[in-house]
Amino acid sequence: MRRLGSRMLVATALVALAGLLGGCAASSAPRHTATASRTHRASPKPTPTPTPTDPLAGMTLQQKVGQLFMVGTQATTADPTTVKAVTSLHVGNVFLAGRSHAGTAATAGIVKQFTALATPDATAGLPLFVGTDQEGGEVQVLNGPGFDDMPSAVQQGMMAPDALKANATRWGSQLKASGVNMNLAPVVDLLPSPQFAPQNPPIGGFDRQYGYTPEAITRHADAFRGGMDTSGVVPVIKHFPGLGNVTENTDTNSGVTDTVTTATSPSVGVFKTEIEHDARAVMVSTAIYTQLDPSAPAAFSSKIVTGLLRGTLGFTGVVMTDDLSAAQQVASWSPGDRAVLAIEAGVDIVLVSAVPSMAAPMVNAVVAKAQSDPAFAKLVDAAARRVVDLKRAELG
């Protein structure tokens, strides 16, 4: 019995040692190695995985709410209102707006003035998403030395996908060199035909469409996103559930309505495909979609954001709005109501790109609502967690 017990002790020690060595091997493997992960799970005595730190731990309500806003500054200067939004309102993301021809080095100097503000007191030490609109053609905010003149999406759609990805990798590296880490592109809106394009001001009017079939759009959007990803820039597909069927622009008109799009429309199918192809951020439009929810613009609709985008299409990433500061489509709502309604709908980032002074009443309204409404406070936490998780994954 003593000899058998001794053998059992030796065997137990060898199993324990193997478990420890297996744990060391798994922990030293590359972070994204699926095979190493499967081997680790199959181990007879797996090493316990430490519980991840809650990304919101230690953050104040104000800091969490600040992560839910992206506030604009002119691309040529650090707007004092936007600087104050980061330092006093704890806003965690900025947007370079307008037009700049100063080049990558000058733009990087502007961006550094904001990234230096991401302190423990202001943003809980979390990095900023620095976004812009760098689509190409007439929609290219950043220009000048170091930036290519990007062709329009119509022209990009004529490129072979591999060629477009190579170009987008270069364009993304130019953004990265200037300090930009999020590009509010590509546009994946589906227009019904080339003949309809001139009647569609927001997309067709600016040649922002890759083509006129779902396949043409997804092939080229995948290539563009792939290039941005390769360069370390987060792409944002837009404008869910599609602006291809409207005849007015939400920036300059109110009551912009789509009477055609349904949950099974090909235009929605484009977003479904992009989500299946690992899109991690989606912008929601402010048009009204009568077949989906006639009662509210998409950005204020839980049926569209939570029901269709998150539920039916299974999107788990970050949802942002189109601009809510100056768009005529939402002018009849107070700034505070715009922000609260968007968060209630399931949005994660409210874009305040055109008029940065609108950020203060919006942020204050969301903080006040969270303080008085526990259910809304849970929505704030969920949205902040998605934003912070994306930052951790993409920005480190």
Side-chain angles (χ1 to χ4, degrees):
M1 290 293 293
R2 288 177 184 170
R3 186 175 300 169
L4 178 60
S6 176
R7 288 175 181 171
M8 289 178 67
L9 286 172
V10 170
T12 301
L14 289 172
V15 169
L17 178 59
L20 287 172
L21 291 174
C24 291
S27 64
S28 63
R31 195 171 43 169
H32 299 296
T33 304
T35 302
S37 178
R38 286 196 295 270
T39 301
H40 180 67
R41 285 196 297 270
S43 172
K45 286 186 177 292
T47 302
T49 302
T51 302
T53 303
D54 183 349
L56 307 189
M59 293 178 67
T60 66
L61 173 61
Q62 288 77 10
Q63 288 171 334
K64 288 185 284 188
V65 170
Q67 292 296 313
L68 311 189
F69 288 85
M70 177 174 279
V71 179
T73 182
Q74 286 299 305
T76 54
T77 187
D79 190 309
T81 302
T82 312
V83 170
K84 186 175 181 180
V86 176
T87 57
S88 299
L89 298 175
H90 309 286
V91 162
N93 315 284
V94 299
F95 178 86
L96 304 183
R99 287 291 183 274
S100 169
H101 296 273
T104 55
T107 303
I110 301 295
V111 170
K112 285 178 182 177
Q113 294 181 57
F114 287 102
T115 55
L117 304 175
T119 64
D121 287 340
T123 67
L126 292 165
L128 305 177
F129 274 136
V130 180
T132 196
D133 279 329
Q134 201 81 342
E135 300 172 17
E138 295 188 55
V139 186
Q140 181 175 342
V141 171
L142 302 175
N143 306 271
F147 290 112
D148 287 356
D149 290 329
M150 296 169 59
S152 70
V154 167
Q155 294 169 311
Q156 293 175 35
M158 298 176 185
M159 298 178 186
D162 286 348
L164 177 55
K165 182 177 180 180
N167 283 323
T169 300
R170 187 175 66 255
W171 301 331
S173 68
Q174 294 164 2
L175 289 175
K176 193 71 172 179
S178 69
V180 173
N181 53 32
M182 177 174 275
N183 189 6
L184 276 53
V187 167
V188 298
D189 300 294
L190 174 64
L191 279 68
S193 69
Q195 293 75 26
F196 184 75
Q199 303 172 51
N200 177 258
I203 309 301
F206 293 97
D207 288 342
R208 300 169 78 189
Q209 68 275 23
Y210 281 125
Y212 301 95
T213 66
E215 295 76 19
I217 292 173
T218 55
R219 280 199 308 270
H220 290 86
D222 283 352
F224 187 95
R225 289 194 301 110
M228 291 292 142
D229 282 335
T230 298
S231 300
V233 175
V234 180
V236 180
I237 60 172
K238 59 188 183 184
H239 311 75
F240 186 81
L243 283 176
N245 289 302
V246 301
T247 56
E248 295 178 304
N249 192 328
T250 54
D251 289 336
T252 55
N253 298 93
S254 60
V256 179
T257 302
D258 174 329
T259 61
V260 176
T261 300
T262 69
T264 58
S265 291
S267 54
V268 173
V270 170
F271 285 91
K272 181 176 186 294
T273 299
E274 288 299 292
I275 290 166
E276 291 171 349
H277 293 178
D278 196 34
R280 300 177 305 290
V282 175
M283 177 185 287
V284 179
S285 90
T286 54
I288 295 170
Y289 298 81
T290 59
Q291 300 298 311
L292 296 172
D293 184 357
S295 68
F300 300 160
S301 170
S302 60
K303 291 181 180 179
I304 292 174
V305 179
T306 299
L308 179 56
L309 179 57
R310 294 205 187 278
T312 304
L313 302 190
F315 182 63
T316 59
V318 167
V319 178
M320 70 163 46
T321 69
D322 206 341
D323 178 49
L324 295 186
S325 66
Q328 285 300 304
Q329 179 77 350
V330 297
S332 60
W333 284 269
S334 72
D337 284 347
R338 297 172 208 173
V340 168
L341 288 170
I343 303 303
E344 285 181 331
V347 163
D348 303 313
I349 296 179
V350 174
L351 181 61
V352 192
S353 56
V355 185
S357 61
M358 289 278 192
M362 290 183 176
V363 170
N364 292 336
V366 172
V367 170
K369 178 74 171 176
Q371 289 173 330
S372 64
D373 184 341
F376 184 79
K378 289 182 179 179
L379 293 177
V380 168
D381 278 1
R385 184 168 283 108
R386 284 187 288 266
V387 174
V388 173
D389 282 347
L390 185 62
K391 287 185 175 183
R392 286 183 164 187
E394 301 296 333
L395 308 182

